[in-house]
Amino acid sequence: DNSTEADPPTATPRPQLILHPRQGALVAGCPPAEVPEWAKAIALAKSRGELETAHYLSSKLGNAYRDFLGQPEKALAAYQTAYDLAVELKDTHRQAILLTVMGTVLFQLGKFMEADDYHEQAEQIAREDDNQLALALILQNRGYQASEKPEPDHELGRRLSDESARIAEREGFDAIYFDSMLNRAGSEHDMGLYQEALATHEELYERAKEHGNYAQMADALHSMGEDHH
């Protein structure tokens, strides 16, 4: 807190970091020794005006909460901080990415309408910027979630996944291509289009085999087994 009102009339001022230790928001003072290490790094970056560094630190914090700690609500708060910083930086690529990431977390929390809204905002930004990488990723997320909702729309899921795959193939985004085609085949399977789904899975297996990607080979083989049931 750098305000003169916070300085004592005598003695040396004691530094305070104004940061919420769970959400990354600057809201209340606490001695630096009591602040978590990740919070210190974000607060320090902000205080130095290094907003891009603070943005990526907040984003990585969200990844840690989501992927390793299983705390989606805290992940969402960290991603929101990262998104706000992307807006301040006028970085539309990162805005689109953070919006679709938050949409995915909201989907995991069962907030399906909110998730759709976030993905649609992300898609609008990506299309306006002609950002093919972001667009492919957003459509991949939307396609998967359209087919996985409690009231699924498999036709929409198939269409979105197919568009994502076509962009990814054209631009050379191999991982997105594989995942989007896998999603498309899943939608086809759920629509009863078993031969189409099997053909897609066989293509993905051969493609993964050619690249020596054993994880993708395993995914494709597993899906092929489901096609035969």
Side-chain angles (χ1 to χ4, degrees):
D1 184 345
N2 294 322
S3 65
T4 56
E5 292 80 8
D7 290 345
T10 59
T12 303
R14 297 175 60 188
Q16 297 275 308
L17 287 178
I18 313 295
L19 191 138
H20 193 295
R22 289 186 297 277
Q23 296 185 2
L26 301 178
V27 293
C30 61
E34 298 177 11
V35 178
E37 290 302 317
W38 63 259
K40 290 179 184 178
I42 295 171
L44 181 61
K46 287 182 177 180
S47 70
R48 291 179 173 177
E50 298 174 4
L51 299 185
E52 185 173 9
T53 298
H55 162 79
Y56 281 105
L57 286 172
S58 299
S59 182
K60 295 298 183 184
L61 175 63
N63 293 347
Y65 277 134
R66 182 189 64 179
D67 299 333
F68 300 108
L69 300 176
Q71 299 179 9
E73 293 87 355
K74 291 182 180 180
L76 195 61
Y79 288 139
Q80 183 64 55
T81 297
Y83 171 77
D84 291 342
L85 287 164
V87 172
E88 194 168 350
L89 289 163
K90 297 181 173 59
D91 187 335
T92 54
H93 172 74
R94 292 297 298 170
Q95 290 172 39
I97 294 298
L98 265 297
L99 283 167
T100 196
V101 167
M102 287 191 286
T104 299
V105 175
L106 287 164
F107 184 86
Q108 294 168 347
L109 290 169
K111 299 179 179 180
F112 306 117
M113 292 184 65
E114 289 182 58
D116 285 342
D117 182 58
Y118 274 70
H119 288 308
E120 288 168 6
Q121 290 181 61
E123 182 178 345
Q124 181 178 351
I125 291 172
R127 289 191 186 279
E128 288 175 353
D129 286 357
D130 194 27
N131 186 332
Q132 298 300 293
L133 175 58
L135 183 58
L137 181 62
I138 294 159
L139 293 172
Q140 175 192 317
N141 290 339
R142 289 196 64 202
Y144 173 79
Q145 292 173 24
S147 283
E148 294 298 321
K149 293 178 182 179
E151 297 180 1
D153 186 339
H154 297 304
E155 181 57 47
L156 176 62
R158 183 191 191 195
R159 178 174 61 79
L160 292 170
S161 296
D162 184 68
E163 183 179 359
S164 173
R166 285 188 282 108
I167 294 170
E169 184 174 33
R170 183 180 68 240
E171 301 292 334
F173 307 143
D174 292 338
I176 296 177
Y177 176 82
F178 181 89
D179 289 340
S180 293
M181 289 293 283
L182 202 64
N183 292 342
R184 192 191 79 177
S187 296
E188 290 170 343
H189 180 93
D190 291 335
M191 294 168 68
L193 303 174
Y194 303 118
Q195 291 304 311
E196 288 87 340
L198 179 60
T200 299
H201 290 139
E202 288 174 343
E203 181 219 324
L204 290 176
Y205 174 78
E206 293 300 328
R207 185 185 180 101
K209 183 178 179 181
E210 181 180 344
H211 289 87
N213 192 320
Y214 296 106
Q216 289 184 350
M217 289 168 64
D219 285 341
L221 282 171
H222 175 76
S223 298
M224 288 160 64
E226 291 183 343
D227 293 333
H228 287 290
H229 279 74

